[in-house]
């Protein structure tokens, strides 16, 4: 497994793959890897001849410096996991390599970035699309894998890829969960034991919504089911609850008549967790 810390080194290695006629799959991450990330790696390996993983804690997508500074990191462990999974190249660029002259040039999906989770975390999706566009240009992959867990992010990246005509096939990969249902996240380790237990309310509320959807319901009733479940947990603070068209994130009201994406963000002692589910009538 080749480890690159510069764009130039990464490009040389990817060029050698291309010269051999091989296709390239990319998995962008912020490191501190878990089984969720590894399922993206498995999907990329399945879809392309060579797999490239990037580890970069992107400063432009964090609202608060404290959140950025406390983001968990463990490079040695990450590299051991990627090596064991048969990854071909890992790009771990310093901030200076990705933003040598700052972030004068930004990429933004203007509508989709500034709705839903984007309202809770202003500037977040602009930072994501800016860094992913740069990573796409560094690696120039044929396919790139992103988790459905970050549902709005996945839709934002699909839209950016289409609008900027990147010749890259964007693949969404289903959320990997702990045995008790909590969506795997690098942030989970920062929860206290009590908050970790209370965090089950995210997947429980989505399950309740799924059951209501299957029985026939309205968007308003779905909102109530989720809000009631989360409000019943005193350690949880509901920060975002959105039910939108699964493809275009459009507003929905009235009877559930087409696939809807439910996106929730819930805070536990300063740690923001997210989860999502697409429900069908
Ligand atoms: P992050 O390192 O948090 O930026 O995540 C990198 C990629 O892994 C993103 O595309 C996430 O959506 C994806 N991801 C994170 N957690 C999970 C999970 N539990 N299951 C599947 N994919 C995930």
């Amino acid at each position: 497994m080749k480890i690159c810390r510069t764009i130039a080194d990464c490009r040389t290695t990817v060029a050698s793959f291309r010269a051999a006629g091989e296709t390239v799959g990319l998995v962008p991450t912020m490191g501190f890897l878990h089984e969720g990330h590894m399922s993206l790696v498995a999907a990329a390996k399945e879809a392309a001849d060579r797999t490239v993983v990037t580890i970069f804690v992107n400063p432009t997508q964090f609202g608060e410096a404290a959140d950025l500074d406390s983001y968990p990191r463990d490079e040695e462990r990450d590299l051991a996991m990627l090596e064991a999974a048969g990854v071909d190249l890992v790009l771990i660029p310093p901030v200076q390599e990705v933003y040598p002259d700052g972030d004068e040039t930004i990429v933004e999906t203007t509508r989709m970035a500034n709705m839903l989770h984007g309202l809770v975390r202003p500037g977040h999706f602009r930072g994501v699309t800016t860094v992913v566009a740069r990573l796409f240009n560094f690696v120039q992959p044929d396919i790139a894998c992103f988790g459905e867990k970050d549902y709005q992010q996945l839709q934002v990246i699909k839209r950016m890829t289409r609008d900027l005509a990147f010749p890259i096939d964007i693949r969404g990969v289903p959320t990997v969960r702990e045995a008790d249902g909590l969506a795997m996240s690098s942030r989970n380790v920062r929860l206290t034991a009590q908050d970790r237990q209370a965090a089950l309310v995210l997947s429980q509320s989505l399950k309740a919504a799924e059951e209501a959807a299957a029985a026939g319901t309205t968007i308003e009733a779905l909102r109530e089911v989720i809000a009631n479940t989360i409000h019943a947990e005193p350690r949880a603070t509901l920060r975002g609850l959105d039910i939108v068209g699964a493809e275009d994130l459009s507003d929905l009201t009235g009877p559930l008549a087409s696939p809807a994406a439910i996106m929730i963000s819930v805070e536990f002692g300063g740690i923001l967790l997210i989860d999502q589910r697409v429900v069908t009538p």
Side-chain angles (χ1 to χ4, degrees), residues 6-23:
T6 66
I7 312 312
D9 198 14
C10 171
R11 284 210 162 127
T12 305
T13 308
V14 172
S16 72
F17 299 156
R18 295 242 171 258
E22 293 166 328
T23 55

Side-chain angles (χ1 to χ4, degrees), residues 46 62 81 118 124 215 230 260:
E46 177 82 28
F62 284 83
M81 287 170 77
H124 171 72
I230 291 169

Side-chain angles (χ1 to χ4, degrees), residues 27-40 54-57 61 71 124 128 145-151 153-154 157 171 173-178 182-188 274:
V27 179
T29 80
M30 298 203 298
F32 210 72
L33 304 177
H34 51 64
E35 288 311 310
H37 297 108
M38 300 317 286
S39 77
L40 303 189
T54 58
I55 299 177
F56 181 63
V57 182
Q61 72 188 67
Y71 199 83
H124 171 72
V128 169
C145 296
F146 294 86
E148 285 177 359
K149 178 183 156 234
D150 299 285
Y151 193 81
Q153 168 174 285
L154 173 61
I157 285 167
R171 308 274 177 101
V173 178
T175 302
V176 177
R177 296 173 183 279
E178 303 285 357
L182 180 66
M184 288 192 183
S185 165
S186 308
R187 292 169 188 263
N188 292 351
I274 64 169

